[in-house]
Amino acid sequence: MFKATLTATVLLAAPAFAQDVASGDAEAGESIFNQCQACHVVENDDGEVLAGRNGQVGPNLYGISGRTLGSVEGFRYSKSMAAAGEDEGLEWNEETFVGYVQDPTGWLKEQLDNNRARGNMAYKLRSEEDAANVWAYIVSLDPEAGEEASE
Ligand code: HEC
């Protein structure tokens, strides 16, 4: 039973290079990213904007797969987000991402085991499926995402 589910997930994964790191549908995720772009861009190291326009309220989401939480240089994160990265050593993968975007502050409280933890992202993406799809989309914009995951 478990094996059958796993196979189905792999077959459904959209872009070949992201299939190791994403189970969602990148195409569906692209329109969900509209909800993020008021605050976020996906901008590569050459300064090319791959998604969004110029949202600066939140950090650049390029290359997020495998990245330590709260580690975009020059971005002022909440104390809780910085602690989740620096003290707990948490990294972004599908699981952490999907948990976080559904309830940023609630998720940080849980991870830090601290009821007073607070994140600065004032947005909740209420659907787990949408969260997995937008993850697949963001990861699909990073040609190195699949390689990192299989290292
Ligand atoms: C109203 C503005 C706003 C919106 C809308 C928003 N975010 Fe954020 N986001 C933020 C801010 C601010 C932070 C920094 C949080 C902190 O420091 O606690 C953040 C942080 C993040 C992080 C952590 C990145 C890192 O560098 O560690 C992820 C992942 C993320 N957002 C994903 C999303 C996704 C996906 C969406 C759309 C569904 C979204 N955000 C919508 C403002 C926003």
Side-chain angles (χ1 to χ4, degrees), residues 12 43 48 56 61 82 90-91 93 96 125-126 128 138:
L12 285 173
E43 180 179 337
E48 253 176 280
Q56 302 284 335
L61 296 178
L90 292 171
E91 288 182 359
N93 53 41
T96 50
L125 187 61
R126 289 284 188 185
E128 188 172 334
I138 294 169

Side-chain angles (χ1 to χ4, degrees), residues 32-40 56-61 64 67-72 75-82 92 97 100-101 104 108 118-125 131 134-135 138:
I32 294 158
F33 190 78
N34 290 340
Q35 299 175 47
C36 319
Q37 66 180 3
C39 301
H40 292 281
Q56 302 284 335
V57 178
N60 179 8
L61 296 178
I64 193 163
R67 192 166 94 188
T68 302
L69 268 66
S71 64
V72 169
F75 186 82
R76 287 178 60 106
Y77 290 95
S78 62
K79 272 193 198 141
S80 297
M81 181 64 92
W92 290 120
F97 179 94
Y100 172 77
V101 299
L108 284 166
R118 265 198 80 83
N120 283 351
M121 174 160 139
Y123 195 80
K124 292 179 181 176
L125 187 61
V134 77
W135 165 262
I138 294 169

Side-chain angles (χ1 to χ4, degrees), residues 40-56:
H40 292 281
V41 285
V42 180
E43 180 179 337
N44 71 15
D45 300 339
D46 297 332
E48 253 176 280
V49 175
L50 308 176
R53 298 196 217 334
N54 60 354
Q56 302 284 335

